[in-house]
Amino acid sequence: MAKITVKDIAQAGGFSEATVSRALNGSSSVTVLTKKKIFEVARRLGYKPGLVSPLVSGSQGHNKKVGIIIRDITNPFFSSITSLIFENLENSGYQAFITTLSRSSKQEHDSIKMLVDIGVCGIIAAPRSARTIDNIRTLIGSAIPTVLIFDTYDDPEVHFVSIDHEKAMFKGTEYLINLGHRKIYYIGADPENLVIRERVQGFEKALAVNHIPPNQYKILHTPANRTGGYSAVTSILNSGDCPTAIVAATDYVAFGAMEALKEHSLRIPADISLMGFDNVEMSSYSSISLTTIAQPDRELSDRAVNMLINQIEHRDRLDRKHVILDSSLIIRDTCRRII
């Protein structure tokens, strides 16, 4: 099969070669609608952007490079899930290329474009924000099979595997309420992070349903990392306005909170209860024993990789595009009942 060229796409779609070239290279001078049309023509013809031969259906007609876009490799949960995805891809005969996302729009754009340039045949991505999704659509469109993980999306054409973060955080917050807590603070509410926004919504919904007034709780906006957790709790304690319970956006945030509480000689849970989210391996250590909400990381990895490979190897086969997995509340030693 002859390699499909920019000229072939231009002729088939009724575009100029210059427009096709700019679209395939992610130029902002081409509208999103035009890019979408060009990517559709490119896909139909079997064109694969980058440095590799064209992508055609069938397991022998594509390369074996897959890109993994991860938003925070320093977070133990993302390190774990990346390792599982890498392992699954390797076991399926694929080679993984990993890139992380920056808060800089240009660096994020360049990271995604790098995967296109090396010629990946598929991408698994954990978007940081709505901007990440826009960058993926602009640079990739439908030319490269893509599966998003960790968040749900309204777009029926988007393939994703996730849990319901709002529902999971609702359940965790209601657990604290049922233990008698009313003054509950949420820390690590990064407004740019899509997943964290859903968790905040679940937190607020649980409080509203249980008729807890807004003056009883606070939401502290800090980066969803260890430093953010430490600074948020330090600020709370220095203000002298302490809650009976703290909900951390992630376990990583909770670890920072633990450091701050220890520095102020406060005991968990005797003085303040603490709950995390993600159930990273460290959270189960006897010295921590953190009550948290577990994401099924291995199942997330398995389902995302299977969904992507199905798109790569069987492009015309209809498949379930949206998969929402169950989460679970892991009760350990950092939350106590109060009167």
Side-chain angles (χ1 to χ4, degrees):
M1 179 178 178
K3 184 175 180 179
I4 302 300
T5 66
V6 168
K7 183 177 181 180
D8 295 327
I9 298 170
Q11 290 177 345
F15 304 101
S16 69
E17 290 183 37
T19 298
V20 172
S21 179
R22 288 197 300 271
L24 295 177
N25 283 287
S27 172
S28 59
S29 65
V30 182
T31 67
V32 173
L33 181 60
T34 299
K35 283 178 181 175
K36 183 176 181 180
K37 292 178 180 178
I38 289 173
F39 284 137
E40 286 294 339
V41 173
R43 185 196 64 78
R44 176 164 51 83
L45 294 178
Y47 176 82
K48 175 66 187 67
L51 307 176
V52 297
S53 59
L55 174 67
V56 294
S57 59
S59 60
Q60 301 303 315
H62 57 81
N63 73 84
K64 292 285 188 175
K65 299 176 183 177
V66 168
I68 302 174
I69 302 173
I70 211 75
R71 60 171 166 256
D72 184 6
I73 202 68
T74 63
N75 185 320
F77 179 76
F78 291 119
S79 299
S80 173
I81 197 76
T82 301
S83 177
L84 289 171
I85 291 171
F86 192 96
E87 177 185 326
N88 281 343
L89 287 169
E90 187 177 60
N91 290 340
S92 299
Y94 285 80
Q95 183 181 12
F97 295 81
I98 302 170
T99 185
T100 57
L101 296 174
S102 164
R103 289 184 179 271
S104 160
S105 179
K106 184 181 185 306
Q107 289 179 354
E108 184 175 278
H109 177 280
D110 291 345
S111 292
I112 298 169
K113 188 174 184 299
M114 177 198 72
L115 296 177
V116 176
D117 289 343
I118 66 174
V120 297
C121 64
I123 288 175
I124 294 176
R128 175 185 290 277
S129 64
R131 184 188 69 198
T132 308
I133 299 173
D134 290 340
N135 276 331
I136 290 173
R137 283 172 170 160
T138 299
L139 287 166
I140 299 171
S142 59
I144 301 176
T146 302
V147 173
L148 304 182
I149 52 175
F150 302 134
D151 202 4
T152 58
Y153 303 91
D154 293 332
D155 189 336
E157 295 305 312
V158 173
H159 290 70
F160 70 77
V161 181
S162 179
I163 65 167
D164 185 329
H165 293 271
E166 180 178 321
K167 180 180 178 182
M169 185 58 84
F170 179 97
K171 181 178 181 180
T173 304
E174 197 160 60
Y175 168 70
L176 288 172
I177 294 170
N178 290 336
L179 288 177
H181 295 278
R182 295 296 181 269
K183 195 171 184 179
I184 307 172
Y185 288 3
Y186 184 105
I187 61 173
D190 184 345
E192 290 188 5
N193 190 311
L194 294 171
V195 166
I196 300 302
R197 279 209 314 245
E198 285 192 15
R199 294 179 187 178
V200 171
Q201 290 167 2
F203 173 76
E204 292 180 305
K205 185 176 180 181
L207 295 167
V209 167
N210 287 277
H211 309 293
I212 296 177
N215 63 355
Q216 287 289 91
Y217 65 88
K218 287 184 180 179
I219 297 172
L220 282 78
H221 293 83
T222 63
N225 55 34
R226 192 167 188 150
T227 301
Y230 176 86
S231 63
V233 172
T234 299
S235 175
I236 290 169
L237 298 178
N238 287 340
S239 73
D241 181 26
C242 294
T244 63
I246 292 174
V247 174
T250 70
D251 289 350
Y252 202 29
V253 173
F255 298 155
M258 286 180 170
E259 292 176 22
L261 290 168
K262 183 178 180 180
E263 282 187 8
H264 286 76
S265 301
L266 291 174
R267 299 163 299 164
I268 304 171
D271 298 312
I272 295 181
S273 291
L274 177 65
M275 184 177 72
F277 199 117
D278 287 335
N279 193 37
V280 301
E281 184 180 3
M282 286 175 59
S283 67
S284 64
Y285 291 177
S286 58
S287 59
I288 297 174
S289 197
L290 178 67
T291 293
T292 186
I293 298 164
Q295 295 199 65
D297 53 358
R298 185 164 291 278
E299 188 178 4
L300 272 166
S301 166
D302 292 346
R303 298 292 287 270
V305 170
N306 289 341
M307 184 183 288
L308 182 70
I309 291 175
N310 186 56
Q311 286 188 77
I312 293 170
E313 300 185 0
H314 308 284
R315 276 179 166 266
D316 296 328
R317 179 187 297 173
L318 294 176
D319 190 22
R320 185 179 174 190
K321 293 182 178 180
H322 301 167
V323 174
I324 300 178
L325 304 176
D326 291 331
S327 59
S328 55
L329 176 63
I330 308 297
I331 298 173
R332 297 195 181 103
D333 299 335
T334 56
C335 297
R336 74 177 183 95
R337 181 176 298 278
I338 63 172
I339 300 175

